[in-house]
Structures are given as structure tokens and as C-alpha cells.
Amino acid sequence: MDLSLVFAGTAGSVPTARRGLPAVLLRAGGDRILMDCGEGTQRQLIRSVGLVDLDAIFLTHLHADHWLGLPGMLKSFDLRERSRELLLYGPPGTAALLQSVRATYGRLGYPLAVIELDAGDAIEWDGYEIEAFNVAHRGQAFGYAVIEHDRPGRLDPDRARELGVTDGPDLGRLQAGETVDGVTADQVVGPPRPGRRIVFSGDTSPCETLRAQASGADVLVHEATFLHADLDRARQTGHSTARQAAELAREVEVRLLVLTHVSQRYHPREVRDEARTTFPATEVPRDFDQVVVPFPEKGAPELVRSELPVP
Amino acid sequence: MDLSLVFAGTAGSVPTARRGLPAVLLRAGGDRILMDCGEGTQRQLIRSVGLVDLDAIFLTHLHADHWLGLPGMLKSFDLRERSRELLLYGPPGTAALLQSVRATYGRLGYPLAVIELDAGDAIEWDGYEIEAFNVAHRGQAFGYAVIEHDRPGRLDPDRARELGVTDGPDLGRLQAGETVDGVTADQVVGPPRPGRRIVFSGDTSPCETLRAQASGADVLVHEATFLHADLDRARQTGHSTARQAAELAREVEVRLLVLTHVSQRYHPREVRDEARTTFPATEVPRDFDQVVVPFPEKGAPELVRSELPVP
């Protein structure tokens, strides 16, 4: 399964000339799932990978900078005659919020399912699940963990041949756990390989739930609203500093830390450099940059810079 | 008084990679007034002339593509600690709309005055007024006319000297209409010179009120959602074709026709060419382009192309 992220908006609270409001597109196999939908997200997608027919949108929390792009996007899907159901997941209050802005997008020609999650709820997708967990922001706020199912172990074809198994369908049956001509799967198939894990912090101060979810993650997408010099403001507002994000990433040994929700107070390079002092495998994407997440045996998660012009 | 427009968003309904949703910034002397505020307008301003401290926002109508940028912008003004009152004008229903999305921007640290206008209401500014008039769209919709006050006539200093008036303050008194040493103003001062007029059509089918307001306008900013081949769709949806806009401009002899609210169905060049066949003085601005409107004796209204990069 191909697994990658497109950073459609990497600013926090207020957009800048170069950074739109929060939104990350998760591409998992054929699924297209949006994490948050700040004002202008539909256009950020149009400007980069296209306004793809999303399967679902997950909101981390209901502060306006994380969802104000939703009504316009819902309407645009309607104007181009979407018929397929769209799933909208969010914390408690999401349904009431949608109802309150119902007039902005009016009657839609496709079903919109609004599903409020509780912490711990996991939505099953084809080959992975997305689990909501509580984080420490102002009001109820979620992070989300994208957890790929464990993959079957690797089959050793040489060992299978030694045991008299012929090439072809029998190898597939062994891989699937069956016994073939007295040869059992565990004789030729290694242990299950753990699936990949991508964790989104949402907006949060450092917290235990995030630490637990991020443990060993391939990619941790973490907010970094402040530099550590402004730690007090970070605490007051329920946000993190770049250093705090890096400390968490180091403690729980993520493979790649990706910082977002950056403030115009700082140059993004300052944010990156502060984090890298603690955790070198840190990136601060620009809008439209991607992060590809290969199977661990194929390589490390990697930032791919966009070649699109940024104003 | 300097008078110019900045086209912050020139798409209709759905943004494109190159065009944001409707918003035009009117700069009249020191005043900064926004006409409509589609999703993403705050960022369009940030990307071009900066998110200026607006004096007022006028909404032409309450369809979502014309105002969804408002809550985020209100919030951004608050985050940077605006204290000055902001005036929001719109058709009946504006106050209820703002109330319904109140939760999106929360408590603001500056006064926001929401003023519902009736057709014919004119708001007085320093040296000009802005008048709302009904247009023919779905539901209540306004166009707006920016009407500069007549300027005093031109004083002929040679004629004044012939009549024995000395240079200096006496000339100013004559210009102001006073009599000096038996010389009356009308002996040396020409007739009042008409002020400039900029008319915004809003979204509309051709209609008499617009025709009357646009008569002799220096600039008519007119929607052109369709080409004339799609006249039926224009009629059904309460919009205009480029040709209809051009016909109106020709009939009422505007100086410059500026087409906006262009659809991604067409290449903007098609829109421009269709209109120019009927009315050559037509422009179709790109986002961030400006139109400057000098005093008539100083030159014609002119499109000034932006040099900002457009994606």
C-alpha cells in the first residue's frame, strides 16, 4: 500500500503569504483522507494535487482555523456533482457545528455522514485503521493515529524448495498460513511484520496519550506553534514548542518528526533548527511538500519538496 | 483623492489555482473598503497588498462564495489586536447570518457594527458615498455605486488677475465661492466638475437598476459568469454573460468595463474577447491586478497588471 502525506496548509491560526491554514491529505492506497480543513483548503488542493474526491475528513478539534474551509469544500463537491457519500469525523460537537453552518452550503446532492468520535474509537479502513485519542488543548481535541495492520511474515522461497514445495500457487498458500504437503507455514514464513504508523498530534501541549500513540511511529506530524523561548505562551494556549515536540519524538523513537502549525512569529528555519538540536530527523514542510512513508524494509520516511511555485 | 481597486479574488463559486473567490479592495483616499469576502480573502490580501486594516466590508449578497472568508478575517484582525471599529454592510439577513456563525470567530476585541442596508441607502464617506441598489440575482442582492462628490470648478488664475485679484489667499476664497473685491466666484471659477463613479454589479442578470447606476460610470465592475453560448444557464441562475455586460457598458457609456466572477468553464481570454467584440474598453483582471481611476482630466481608468507570481 502506498502511503504518503501532502501538506496542504502548514500555518497556525493565521495564514501567511506562503502558508495556508491547517490541512494534511493522507493518501493510503486508493483512499484520500483529509486531516483538518482550514480556510482555503479546497484551493490549496486545487493548486497542488487537485481537489481530489475525498473519502473522509477528520477534524482534530473545532477551533475555526481547523475547519472553516469545510463549508466551501462541501459546496464545491456538490457543484461538480459528487454523488458518493462523504464521511466527516470529529470530536463531540461536530454535528452541532455542522448544523450551525448548514446554511453556508445548503442542500448537498450527495450524502454527508457526520460521525462524532470518542477517544479510543478506531475507524477501520482497508488495511489500516484510524484511531482518535485525546490530546491536551483548550476544549476537547483529538490526535489521530493511522495504524496499518500487521503484514504477513516474509516467505523464504529457498527454504520452501528445500522442503520440497514447488514454486507457484503453493507458495501463496503457505504465505497465507496454510499447510502444503506436510510443510507448515511457520517453517517457511517469518513472523508478522508490524504495519506502519503515522500519528497526528493535532493542537496540543505535550501529553501522555500522544506519547503512547507516537511510540515507534514511522511519522509523527506534530504541531510546533512556538519556540522554546515562548514556553509560557505555549503552556497558556495549549500548544507545544519545537523543542518539546523533538523531546517527545526522541523519547518514543519515531522515525521522522514533521513539524507543522508554524507561527509567523518565527522563521521556519528557527523552528527546524531548534527541533533538530534535540532530534535530528526533523522536517518542517512547506505547503505542498509531501512525506512518503515506504515499508520499513524499503527505506526511511522522507520529505519530498514540492516543485510548485510558492508565492 | 487617489482611487483604485485591487482584485483580490476574481473567480465565481469555486476557486481555481489562479483565481480566488470574490473580493475587491476599494482604496479611496485613506479608506480601505472590501467588496465581498469569499473564502481565502484574508490570505489573498496577505499575498498582495497586505491584510490592511479595513474600514468597512460591503457584502453584495449572502451566497456563501461571497462571504465565507469573513469569519477567519474577523478572527485574524482580533489576533493582531485590532481595536478600531469595523463596519460590515450587507443586505437584510446579514445580521442573522453573522449571528449564526458567531461561534466561528467568538468574542472580538474590537467593535463590529453590522448594518443592514435597504436599496437606495447611501453611506457617506469623506468625499464620496456608497449607495446600495437592487440587482436581479437569486434572493436579495445588491450592487454598489461608489459616487464621488462633485468637485469645485476649476479657477482660471489669469482671468482673476485681469479682474484685479492678487495671487495668494484671495484665489482660494474665490475657489471656495466667496466674492473678493467685487469679483464673484462665477466670474473666475468654472462649473462644478462631476466626481468619479465606480459601480459594482454584484451577481446579477442584466437589470434596469444596474443600467441606471452604471450610466456614465468611470469603471463598471461587472460579473461575467457565462459566455453568451450559455445564455440560458445565465438566465436560470441569475447571472450575466460577457456579451450582456458589454452591451450594458456600451449602452450607458462607461469608460472601462472590468469583468470578474469568471468561471473555470472558459478561458478568461474567451470572456474578454466576447466582451470586446461589443465593447472594446473591457478588461478581465487576474487576481492581484489593480485598476486605477484618475480624475477624468488626468487620464482614463487603467488596468495595472500585478507583478506578483500567480501559481
Side-chain angles (χ1 to χ4, degrees):
Chain A
M1 176 174 81
D2 284 342
L3 195 57
S4 64
L5 306 173
V6 181
F7 289 83
T10 58
S13 308
V14 182
T16 71
R18 289 168 172 269
R19 293 177 185 269
L21 289 167
V24 183
L25 178 67
L26 165 69
R27 301 189 288 197
D31 299 335
R32 297 292 177 269
I33 294 172
L34 193 67
M35 297 286 172
D36 284 330
C37 188
E39 181 188 348
T41 297
Q42 59 169 329
R43 191 165 178 225
Q44 292 290 93
L45 291 174
I46 290 168
R47 289 175 63 193
S48 53
V49 294
L51 182 55
V52 292
D53 259 327
L54 298 172
D55 298 280
I57 301 168
F58 285 76
L59 300 180
T60 59
H61 63 299
L62 304 181
H63 289 164
D65 55 323
H66 287 252
W67 68 267
L68 264 176
L70 196 54
M73 181 183 279
L74 295 178
K75 187 72 185 166
S76 290
F77 284 142
D78 190 46
L79 286 171
R80 66 179 198 193
E81 299 180 349
R82 179 184 174 117
S83 57
R84 194 158 64 91
E85 183 178 51
L86 178 63
L87 305 168
L88 174 66
Y89 296 97
T94 301
L97 175 70
L98 263 280
Q99 196 53 46
S100 77
V101 296
R102 178 66 199 276
T104 59
Y105 55 89
R107 195 185 304 270
L108 299 173
Y110 59 92
L112 173 67
V114 181
I115 302 121
E116 296 189 350
L117 299 173
D118 291 315
D121 284 355
I123 307 300
E124 192 61 32
W125 296 84
D126 184 15
Y128 63 101
E129 61 179 36
I130 300 180
E131 183 178 337
F133 58 92
N134 282 324
V135 292
H137 194 48
R138 290 160 289 142
Q140 173 127 38
F142 286 155
Y144 289 107
V146 179
I147 307 164
E148 188 182 26
H149 296 167
D150 286 352
R151 291 174 293 145
R154 180 184 298 280
L155 179 134
D156 183 341
D158 295 337
R159 178 76 185 127
R161 278 184 218 111
E162 281 172 28
L163 294 171
V165 179
T166 46
D167 283 1
D170 283 350
L171 292 182
R173 290 168 59 199
L174 283 163
Q175 173 99 58
E178 294 180 32
T179 297
V180 174
D181 298 336
V183 179
T184 60
D186 57 4
Q187 287 179 281
V188 294
V189 177
R193 291 169 290 179
R196 292 162 288 182
R197 175 183 283 259
I198 300 175
V199 174
F200 297 87
S201 74
D203 284 13
T204 186
S205 290
C207 63
E208 271 315 309
T209 46
L210 175 59
R211 207 180 310 269
Q213 287 283 352
S215 183
D218 293 85
V219 176
L220 171 59
V221 179
H222 199 297
E223 70 123 298
T225 310
F226 291 96
L227 291 181
H228 214 67
D230 294 319
L231 178 61
D232 285 349
R233 284 218 57 193
R235 286 190 172 136
Q236 285 156 16
T237 55
H239 286 293
S240 297
T241 69
R243 188 167 116 189
Q244 287 178 315
E247 286 169 349
L248 190 147
R250 186 179 58 184
E251 282 172 45
V252 302
E253 297 181 1
V254 309
R255 300 181 74 208
L256 179 67
L257 173 65
V258 179
L259 297 181
T260 182
H261 206 270
V262 298
S263 166
Q264 57 185 334
R265 279 180 206 87
Y266 319 113
H267 193 290
R269 203 178 309 126
E270 298 177 277
V271 176
R272 187 196 66 186
D273 291 349
E274 175 172 295
R276 283 189 177 173
T277 303
T278 299
F279 189 75
T282 300
E283 298 284 3
V284 182
R286 294 191 280 254
D287 283 12
F288 310 151
D289 285 351
Q290 301 187 17
V291 166
V292 294
V293 192
F295 289 119
E297 66 271 22
K298 297 277 176 65
E302 189 182 10
L303 181 75
V304 180
R305 288 286 183 197
S306 164
E307 292 179 6
L308 291 166
V310 169
Chain B
M1 176 174 82
D2 284 342
L3 194 58
S4 65
L5 306 173
V6 181
F7 290 82
T10 58
S13 307
V14 182
T16 70
R18 289 168 172 269
R19 292 177 187 270
L21 290 168
V24 182
L25 178 67
L26 166 69
R27 302 189 288 197
D31 299 335
R32 298 293 178 266
I33 293 173
L34 193 67
M35 296 286 172
D36 284 329
C37 188
E39 181 188 349
T41 296
Q42 60 170 328
R43 190 164 180 228
Q44 291 290 93
L45 291 174
I46 290 167
R47 288 175 65 194
S48 54
V49 293
L51 182 54
V52 290
D53 260 327
L54 298 173
D55 298 280
I57 301 168
F58 285 76
L59 301 180
T60 59
H61 62 299
L62 304 181
H63 289 164
D65 55 323
H66 287 253
W67 67 266
L68 264 175
L70 197 53
M73 181 182 280
L74 295 178
K75 188 73 184 163
S76 291
F77 284 141
D78 190 47
L79 286 170
R80 67 178 196 194
E81 300 180 347
R82 180 185 174 117
S83 57
R84 194 159 62 93
E85 183 178 51
L86 178 64
L87 305 168
L88 174 66
Y89 296 96
T94 301
L97 175 70
L98 264 280
Q99 196 53 44
S100 75
V101 296
R102 179 65 199 275
T104 60
Y105 55 89
R107 195 185 304 269
L108 299 173
Y110 58 92
L112 172 67
V114 181
I115 302 121
E116 297 189 350
L117 299 173
D118 292 315
D121 284 354
I123 307 301
E124 192 60 35
W125 297 83
D126 185 14
Y128 63 100
E129 61 180 36
I130 299 181
E131 183 178 337
F133 58 92
N134 281 325
V135 293
H137 194 48
R138 292 160 288 141
Q140 174 127 38
F142 286 156
Y144 289 107
V146 179
I147 307 164
E148 189 181 25
H149 297 166
D150 285 352
R151 291 173 293 146
R154 181 184 297 281
L155 180 135
D156 183 339
D158 295 337
R159 178 77 184 125
R161 278 182 219 113
E162 282 171 28
L163 294 171
V165 180
T166 46
D167 284 1
D170 282 349
L171 292 182
R173 290 167 59 198
L174 282 164
Q175 173 99 57
E178 293 179 34
T179 296
V180 174
D181 297 337
V183 178
T184 60
D186 58 3
Q187 286 181 282
V188 294
V189 178
R193 290 169 290 178
R196 291 162 288 181
R197 174 183 284 257
I198 301 174
V199 174
F200 297 87
S201 74
D203 284 12
T204 187
S205 291
C207 64
E208 272 314 308
T209 46
L210 175 58
R211 206 179 311 267
Q213 287 285 352
S215 182
D218 292 85
V219 176
L220 170 60
V221 179
H222 199 297
E223 71 122 297
T225 310
F226 292 97
L227 290 181
H228 213 67
D230 294 319
L231 177 61
D232 285 350
R233 285 218 55 194
R235 285 189 172 138
Q236 286 156 17
T237 55
H239 286 294
S240 298
T241 69
R243 189 167 114 187
Q244 288 179 315
E247 286 169 349
L248 190 147
R250 186 178 58 183
E251 281 171 45
V252 302
E253 297 182 1
V254 308
R255 300 182 74 207
L256 179 67
L257 173 65
V258 179
L259 298 180
T260 183
H261 205 272
V262 298
S263 165
Q264 57 187 334
R265 279 179 206 87
Y266 319 112
H267 193 290
R269 203 178 309 125
E270 298 177 277
V271 176
R272 186 197 65 185
D273 291 349
E274 175 171 297
R276 283 189 177 173
T277 302
T278 299
F279 190 74
T282 301
E283 299 285 2
V284 182
R286 295 191 280 253
D287 283 12
F288 309 151
D289 285 351
Q290 302 187 17
V291 166
V292 293
V293 191
F295 289 118
E297 65 270 22
K298 297 276 176 66
E302 189 182 10
L303 181 75
V304 180
R305 289 286 184 198
S306 164
E307 292 179 6
L308 291 166
V310 169

